[in-house]
């Protein structure tokens, strides 16, 4: 029965891909598939991958890349070009500085002087403010942008510095600095303070600083905390601030809602505002992409897909790309190929996003040769493979532990002049086995100029905690702050759990207190875990005090008293049995 299903699936796969060959004229001969009779499962043949491009040197040593280890993959784009799968990228984009601006020695020295003052803000805010007032560092847009980007996860220190810079002679905040500060406050749910800055921007004389983008930042932050009512209220406040409300602004609201998984609310809002904002393909595509790539609910996505046809909404290449991506993530290779064939029949040429989703689905289904043939077809249709295309091939191979295939494709990507992205390195970093392999990959990332992200440090902290490399954990934590990445809530939670499970209880509690001082709400289970430890610590201290008091009060011990005291000590030293459960990679009492 299994052989029959396998053969039927391969016949269907071959027929669809062969029907798709005529989309390419220049590569028509190179995309021919292997005959079913001669096809062998990837797991039963020698690892040998045909090249996507003409590689001059097929011999490849992974040591040259600093990646000598076996792999499994993390979360990847899967045909979405990384635009819809990572909601945290938006925060980083709001704080990212322009790469073209040069940081001279004076600016670096000024930034370090300010950071030395703000580093003590959590311990003594009043003293830090006094030092800041006495500081003679001249304020400039470059200084403000750099400092705010470094303290973006400590809203009180960021806001104190923002107010200090505002009072400096010869300097005035621009729209960019206001937007950065509003984004920081919104991220930490300090919306009242953020709205005060919005009103302040409105009152600044001269060139107006308040723009529709200002309100859009607040809409996104409300959506991030799932306060849909406040997000919609901010949307309708456009008129109060003198801005027009059109279809484009409405689509921005839908995008913000879907980006942070409020897709049900976005769909309801779309249907309730048909008269004010007429239906169009783009509005429906935003909601469809939310169901397909953010929620990844295939059943609801199919329902919405059919609803588009029932309402007469035209489907375009973006619509098909979203559905293909959803089928790909759901592991439905047959439906992926069916939609690809349907696009050909209705005269719609797939874009790179759609091709990447199909490539991922084929590679995930262990049809690597067919996936590579499709990449050739993709090139013939004018869609040049990018890093996401190769990541779509590498991720499922790593997940299936087909390391040699993944190495070969990574080498080919480098041969084409494509630099591995942070997601590529995360794929290999996810399953390093030893600290030496981890540091080898870290050095390679630094050599290639790949900037570390919060997720990179979180992965490293988690791994070194599991390896019980406590010194390296603290080194990585300090390096993260030196590189301008202020620890966020996720970083603190991972560090606290790692230290706690390794017996570093006092250190874990200190970082827990530091996290609360910065305004990060603790995870309920983290709070319960540390409070239970603190209660047990105080209880044991009280019991020891009671034992010493009892010993001093009874004076010289009789044999009976000595036996009673020894019994109390044995009961106190008796280990307490607790149940430990595993959830999302952590252990809990």
């Amino acid at each position: 029965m299994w052989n029959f299903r396998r053969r039927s699936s391969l016949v269907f796969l071959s027929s669809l891909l062969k029907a798709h060959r005529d989309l390419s004229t220049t590569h028509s001969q190179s995309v021919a598939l292997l005959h079913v009779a001669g096809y062998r499962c990837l797991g039963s043949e020698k690892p040998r991958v045909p090249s996507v491009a003409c590689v001059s040197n097929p011999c490849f040593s992974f040591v040259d890349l600093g990646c000598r280890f076996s792999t499994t993959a993390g979360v990847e784009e899967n045909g979405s070009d990384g635009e819809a799968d990572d909601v945290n990228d938006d925060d980083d984009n709001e704080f990212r500085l322009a790469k073209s601006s040069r940081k001279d020695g004076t600016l670096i020295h000024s930034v370090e002087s300010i950071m030395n003052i703000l580093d003590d803000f959590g311990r003594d805010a009043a003293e830090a403010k006094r030092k800041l007032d006495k500081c003679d560092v001249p304020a400039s847009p470059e200084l403000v942008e750099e400092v705010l980007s470094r303290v973006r996860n400590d809203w009180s220190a960021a806001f104190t510095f923002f107010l200090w810079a505002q009072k400096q002679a010869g300097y005035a905040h621009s729209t960019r600095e206001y937007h950065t500060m509003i984004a920081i406050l919104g991220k930490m749910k300090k919306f009242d303070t953020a709205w005060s800055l919005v009103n302040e921007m409105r009152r600044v004389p001269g060139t107006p600083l308040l723009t529709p983008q200002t309100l859009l930042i607040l809409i996104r932050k409300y959506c991030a905390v799932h306060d849909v009512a406040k997000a919609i209220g901010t949307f309708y406040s456009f008129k109060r601030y003198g801005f027009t409300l059109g279809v484009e602004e409405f689509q921005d609201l839908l995008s913000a809602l879907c980006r942070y998984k409020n897709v049900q609310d976005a769909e309801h809002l779309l249907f309730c505002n048909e008269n004010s904002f007429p239906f169009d393909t783009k509005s429906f595509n935003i909601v469809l992409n939310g169901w397909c790539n953010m929620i990844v609910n295939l059943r609801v996505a199919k329902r919405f897909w059919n609803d588009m046809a029932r309402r007469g909404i035209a489907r375009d290449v973006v619509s098909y790309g979203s559905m293909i991506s959803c089928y790909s993530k759901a592991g439905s290779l047959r439906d992926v190929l069916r939609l690809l064939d349907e696009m050909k029949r209705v005269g719609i040429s797939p874009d790179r996003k759609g091709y990447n989703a199909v490539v991922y689905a084929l590679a995930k289904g262990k049809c690597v040769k067919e996936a590579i043939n499709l990449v050739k077809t993709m090139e013939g249709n004018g869609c040049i493979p990018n890093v996401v295309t190769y990541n779509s091939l590498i991720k499922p191979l790593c997940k299936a532990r087909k390391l040699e295939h993944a190495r070969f494709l990574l080498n080919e990507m480098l041969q084409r002049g494509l630099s591995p992205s942070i997601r590529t390195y995360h794929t290999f970093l996810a399953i390093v086995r030893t600290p030496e392999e981890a540091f080898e990959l870290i050095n390679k990332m630094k050599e290639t100029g790949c900037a570390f992200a919060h997720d990179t440090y979180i992965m490293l902290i988690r791994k070194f905690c599991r390896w019980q490399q406590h010194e390296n954990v603290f080194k990585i934590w300090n390096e993260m702050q030196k590189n301008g990445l202020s620890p966020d809530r996720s970083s603190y939670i991972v560090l606290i759990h790692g230290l706690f499970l390794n017996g570093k209880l006092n250190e874990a509690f200190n970082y827990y207190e530091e996290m609360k001082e910065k305004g990060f709400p603790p995870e309920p289970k983290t709070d319960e875990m540390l409070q239970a430890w603190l209660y047990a610590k105080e209880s044991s201290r009280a019991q020891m005090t009671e034992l010493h008091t009892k010993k001093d009060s009874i004076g010289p011990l009789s044999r009976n008293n000595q036996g009673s005291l020894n019994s109390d000590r044995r009961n106190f030293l008796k280990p307490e049995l607790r149940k430990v459960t595993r959830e999302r990679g952590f252990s809990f009492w």
Side-chain angles (χ1 to χ4, degrees), residues 170-273:
Y171 172 78
H173 290 310
S174 66
T175 301
R176 180 184 178 89
E177 286 81 48
Y178 273 106
H179 283 181
T180 303
M181 193 64 240
I182 290 172
I184 293 173
L185 293 170
K187 184 179 180 180
M188 304 305 297
K189 302 181 183 180
K190 306 299 178 181
F191 290 106
D192 291 340
T193 308
W195 276 109
S196 68
L197 291 183
V198 172
N199 294 324
E200 181 180 307
M201 294 174 69
R202 191 182 186 184
R203 294 191 299 267
V204 172
T207 305
L209 298 179
L210 188 64
T211 66
Q213 183 68 22
T214 311
L215 300 180
L216 183 58
I217 292 174
L218 283 172
I219 289 175
R220 289 172 179 166
K221 296 307 175 183
Y222 279 125
C223 292
V225 298
H226 307 293
D227 194 341
V228 177
K230 293 288 183 63
I232 296 175
T234 305
F235 170 72
Y236 284 110
S237 70
F238 272 60
K239 293 182 179 179
R240 187 169 75 248
Y241 290 98
F243 304 127
T244 59
L245 275 181
V247 175
E248 185 176 349
E249 288 73 22
F250 182 67
Q251 290 170 349
D252 288 337
L253 172 62
L254 295 179
S255 297
L257 288 169
C258 292
R259 184 177 183 85
Y260 295 98
K261 300 187 178 182
N262 306 291
V263 187
Q264 184 66 58
D265 299 295
E267 181 180 342
H268 182 72
L269 198 64
L270 173 65
F271 292 145
C272 290
N273 288 273

Side-chain angles (χ1 to χ4, degrees), residues 393-565:
L393 282 166
I394 291 173
K395 178 196 170 181
L397 289 173
C398 291
K399 201 168 187 179
R401 310 197 72 82
K402 303 296 181 181
L403 183 57
E404 293 187 19
H405 295 77
R407 292 171 177 174
F408 188 90
L409 289 171
L410 183 58
N411 182 45
E412 185 169 304
M413 179 171 63
L414 295 171
Q415 293 283 346
R416 296 177 69 109
L418 296 174
S419 298
S421 66
I422 188 66
R423 292 174 182 262
T424 312
Y425 283 113
H426 284 177
T427 300
F428 291 105
L429 184 60
I431 44 82
V432 293
R433 299 294 183 86
T434 64
E436 292 75 17
E437 293 170 352
F439 281 118
E440 191 176 7
L441 182 59
I442 291 172
N443 292 334
K444 187 60 184 178
M445 292 178 67
K446 293 179 178 179
E447 291 174 6
T448 57
C450 185
F452 284 35
H454 275 104
D455 289 342
T456 313
Y457 288 106
I458 288 174
M459 293 175 70
L460 290 171
I461 290 171
R462 183 179 284 117
K463 283 191 172 294
F464 280 108
C465 283
R466 289 175 180 172
W467 293 329
Q468 297 184 349
Q469 298 272 337
H470 305 132
E471 292 184 2
N472 289 330
V473 169
F474 295 121
K475 286 180 181 179
I476 292 170
W477 182 263
N478 295 330
E479 184 180 350
M480 177 172 62
Q481 300 182 71
K482 290 179 181 179
N483 290 339
L485 288 177
S486 178
D488 59 0
R489 180 174 179 265
S490 299
S491 306
Y492 274 109
I493 290 175
V494 170
L495 179 65
I496 291 168
H497 274 277
L499 293 176
F500 189 87
L501 295 177
N502 279 277
K504 299 290 184 179
L505 306 181
N506 291 316
E507 291 86 346
F509 186 75
N510 291 336
Y511 282 109
Y512 170 75
E513 291 294 320
E514 182 180 316
M515 179 179 70
K516 292 199 300 183
E517 288 177 359
K518 290 187 175 182
F520 294 115
E523 190 180 55
K525 289 188 177 181
T526 307
D527 186 67
E528 180 182 354
M529 177 180 67
L530 288 172
Q531 291 300 333
W533 168 77
L534 187 63
Y535 175 78
K537 181 180 179 181
E538 295 297 330
S539 298
S540 64
R541 185 179 300 169
Q543 290 184 29
M544 291 298 296
T545 303
E546 183 180 353
L547 286 174
H548 286 297
T549 303
K550 186 175 181 180
K551 179 180 178 181
D552 294 339
S553 62
I554 62 178
L557 294 178
S558 64
R559 180 171 300 179
N560 293 334
N561 290 337
Q562 180 69 47
S564 175
L565 185 58

Side-chain angles (χ1 to χ4, degrees), residues 160-172:
T160 300
F161 169 75
F162 182 84
L163 296 178
W164 169 83
Q166 192 175 35
K167 295 184 292 186
Q168 302 307 302
Y171 172 78

